[in-house]
Amino acid sequence: MKYVKKLRGARVYLSPMCAQDAQQYYEWLNDPAVTDGVGTTANVMSLEGEQRWLAENAGDYQFAIVLEEGDRLIGNGGIKEIDWKRRCGEVGLFLGNEADRGKGYGKEVLRLLLGYCFETLNLHNVQLHVFSFNARAIAAYKSAGFREAGRRREAYFLHGEWHDELAMDILQQEWLAQMR
């Protein structure tokens, strides 16, 4: 089996990333439908660069997002910038194909990541960043319990317009209260 069900949800699970998926990530990370939302549209990703990134980062709290039905890779999510002394970290995710967006998979992935952050890693504060035009993502983050913690005004230029970057966060006790 290519994927391991490390963190299981109802419809998706998170698996350690596979080097064999480099081609798929390479395609997604050069697709403006993905990169516009994650802020990397100006970047150019090579297949070799993605293979190198996977080799260097695959075990560092980075996960493949896999659909339970059919074991199909649909995206990537993970935890980064962990500060163990302050017990803080940052989560992020993307779904590669438009057909997989708007179905609640992102919210389910967030719940898996937050459960891991707060219940396994014992983090106290988890944040994420999102651009102001991404209303669908902002709604998913709010429904998972995130609150706006700050706003960096006009921090992202995309398609001829400036957009704000929002910082959102959730505390361990807020997460635990909503899980009761």
Side-chain angles (χ1 to χ4, degrees):
M1 179 176 194
K2 182 176 177 179
Y3 300 111
V4 176
K5 297 177 181 182
K6 175 76 175 169
L7 303 173
R8 294 181 84 153
R11 298 176 301 152
V12 299
Y13 63 90
L14 303 183
S15 170
M17 296 174 68
C18 296
Q20 303 97 308
D21 291 330
Q23 178 69 38
Q24 180 62 75
Y25 288 122
Y26 161 73
E27 290 172 16
W28 285 336
L29 294 173
N30 282 295
D31 179 357
V34 173
T35 60
D36 285 358
V38 297
T40 59
T41 297
N43 298 1
V44 177
M45 174 62 68
S46 68
L47 178 57
E48 294 76 16
E50 184 59 22
Q51 290 167 333
R52 196 169 35 258
W53 188 91
L54 280 169
E56 294 170 1
N57 296 285
D60 293 340
Y61 305 107
Q62 297 298 313
F63 300 97
I65 302 170
V66 184
L67 214 52
E68 271 284 353
E69 185 178 317
D71 292 314
R72 181 172 60 88
L73 179 69
I74 63 170
N76 172 274
I79 308 158
K80 63 181 186 174
E81 306 296 329
I82 297 175
D83 182 327
W84 295 107
K85 289 180 184 176
R86 295 182 348 189
R87 294 179 42 217
C88 298
E90 183 173 341
V91 295
L93 69 102
F94 73 84
L95 300 177
N97 297 314
E98 180 60 37
D100 294 319
R101 298 183 198 126
K103 296 183 176 181
Y105 298 144
K107 184 176 176 181
E108 190 172 338
V109 169
L110 272 177
R111 291 193 182 282
L112 293 171
L113 288 171
L114 289 174
Y116 190 67
C117 285
F118 293 131
E119 297 169 21
T120 302
L121 301 179
N122 196 30
L123 297 181
H124 176 71
N125 174 294
V126 173
Q127 72 171 352
L128 58 77
H129 290 91
V130 62
F131 298 109
S132 56
F133 63 82
N134 199 341
R136 186 164 52 186
I138 292 168
Y141 301 152
K142 285 181 177 179
S143 71
F146 282 87
R147 298 179 187 175
E148 187 173 330
R151 178 180 293 256
R152 189 172 184 186
R153 298 173 302 133
E154 297 184 5
Y156 184 40
F157 189 74
L158 179 68
H159 303 302
E161 295 182 48
W162 286 101
H163 303 278
D164 294 352
E165 181 179 18
L166 283 66
M168 301 180 79
D169 71 357
I170 184 171
L171 300 176
Q172 186 179 39
Q173 65 263 27
E174 294 167 343
W175 167 257
L176 295 173
Q178 75 180 10
M179 291 296 103
R180 289 189 183 111

